[in-house]
Amino acid sequence: MTASPAARHPYLSPEGPRVLAHRGLVTPDAVANGLVDNSFAAVAAAHAAGAVYVESDCHLTADGTVVLFHDDDLRRVAEDPRAIADVRVHELAELMSDRGGLITLAQALDAFPDVRFNLDVKATAAAEPVGRLIAPHAERVLVTSFSDDRRRTALEAARRAGATRRPATSPGSATIARLLAARVLGQRRRVRELLADLDALQVPERHGVIPVVTPGFVRDAHAAGVEVHVWTVNESADMHRLLDLGVDGLVTDRADLALALVNER
């Protein structure tokens, strides 16, 4: 049983299935033209394809600007060894100028007012600034992080900055590990406690040889009114199989293909 519409966070209304554009949308043709993920162009391409949800990552520059950037350095994107934390925003903008354009979190929230952002806080220093920036947009933002400490810091910063409600949230890897252990041990009360105050579980289908997304995992989440979003799903057959299993969202590099598949279903 899924959450009732009244209990559902606005970020997750109406009911899915949801397609979350992983780092925006970068098609093979766009890659060939030099476009990179988490760029302004990638977010714009996802929006143009019809994606309501864009998943992105948050880092902090040397001069304190929150930028949408996955890696903690520039090696993959620009063959530059410097860390994002050591580069000023104008330097980063210059580097990204022919790679799709830099996009800051403030720009993303302003330029795409009808997009719902799924934000992974990748750097400890970024957590509080992220919280302050999203406070006026809490109804259309979900905050997550591999670190529960970073996630909670961002949520608390949003509260202190005057958010009228808590942003939606998905837990870090430590909470997911405790949830999986509680399920294996049959600790039903502990499972309910771990799912409290969450809106989604954003997880891989498997962690190494360990299955994460199973029918029982989905049932437990839905019983608590929590959605299950699976990353990163790029093959049509896997999309169909997971939707048949009952998952609520697909985090995918090919939002264009996933949106067409969901619409056909």
Side-chain angles (χ1 to χ4, degrees):
M1 181 174 64
T2 58
S4 68
R8 191 178 296 271
H9 192 284
Y11 179 88
L12 298 172
S13 296
E15 293 189 12
R18 311 181 197 287
V19 173
L20 295 91
H22 185 231
R23 309 184 202 173
L25 175 59
V26 184
T27 63
D29 286 344
V31 171
N33 290 325
L35 179 70
V36 299
D37 55 48
N38 272 336
S39 60
F40 193 102
V43 176
H47 181 252
V52 174
Y53 297 91
V54 171
E55 185 277 345
S56 198
D57 312 277
C58 296
H59 278 278
L60 196 70
T61 65
D63 46 354
T65 300
V66 179
V67 293
L68 302 191
F69 221 89
H70 178 268
D71 304 352
D72 60 6
D73 62 43
L74 290 161
R75 286 184 176 86
R76 176 178 64 90
V77 169
E79 298 181 351
D80 185 322
R82 289 179 297 172
I84 300 298
D86 295 332
V87 180
R88 292 183 175 274
V89 68
H90 76 271
E91 298 175 278
L92 193 54
E94 184 176 348
L95 282 167
M96 290 291 291
S97 62
D98 59 353
R99 294 175 170 87
L102 177 67
I103 185 168
T104 69
L105 177 55
Q107 289 169 336
L109 293 167
D110 182 60
F112 300 97
D114 53 347
V115 167
R116 302 180 190 186
F117 284 96
N118 197 106
L119 300 175
D120 183 350
V121 184
K122 284 293 178 75
T124 299
E128 289 218 16
V130 166
R132 291 194 297 270
L133 286 166
I134 65 175
H137 308 276
E139 293 191 350
R140 63 182 181 105
V141 172
L142 182 146
V143 174
T144 189
S145 176
F146 285 106
S147 162
D148 278 307
D149 285 344
R150 290 197 298 264
R151 175 180 70 91
R152 293 184 182 115
T153 296
L155 292 173
E156 174 59 18
R159 185 194 66 79
R160 292 198 310 269
T164 56
R165 68 171 304 144
R166 174 181 60 76
T169 193
S170 169
S173 53
T175 296
I176 295 294
R178 288 192 287 268
L179 175 62
L180 294 175
R183 292 194 66 256
V184 168
L185 296 172
Q187 298 172 337
R188 308 306 302 168
R189 178 180 294 180
R190 181 61 172 154
V191 168
R192 291 192 297 272
E193 289 173 351
L194 289 166
L195 290 171
D197 298 322
L198 298 175
D199 302 286
L201 297 171
Q202 297 183 334
V203 292
E205 185 176 5
R206 306 181 67 85
H207 180 69
V209 299
I210 302 172
V212 176
V213 181
T214 63
F217 183 89
V218 174
R219 283 196 303 271
D220 285 349
H222 286 176
V226 176
E227 292 198 354
V228 177
H229 303 164
V230 185
W231 51 265
T232 304
V233 187
N234 295 331
E235 299 299 326
S236 296
D238 293 330
M239 294 176 188
H240 279 295
R241 178 174 51 78
L242 288 164
L243 291 174
D244 288 343
L245 187 63
V247 307
D248 307 280
L250 302 171
V251 184
T252 176
D253 295 320
R254 293 305 306 269
D256 52 339
L257 302 181
L259 286 164
L261 180 150
V262 167
N263 289 335
E264 288 173 4
R265 288 171 64 98

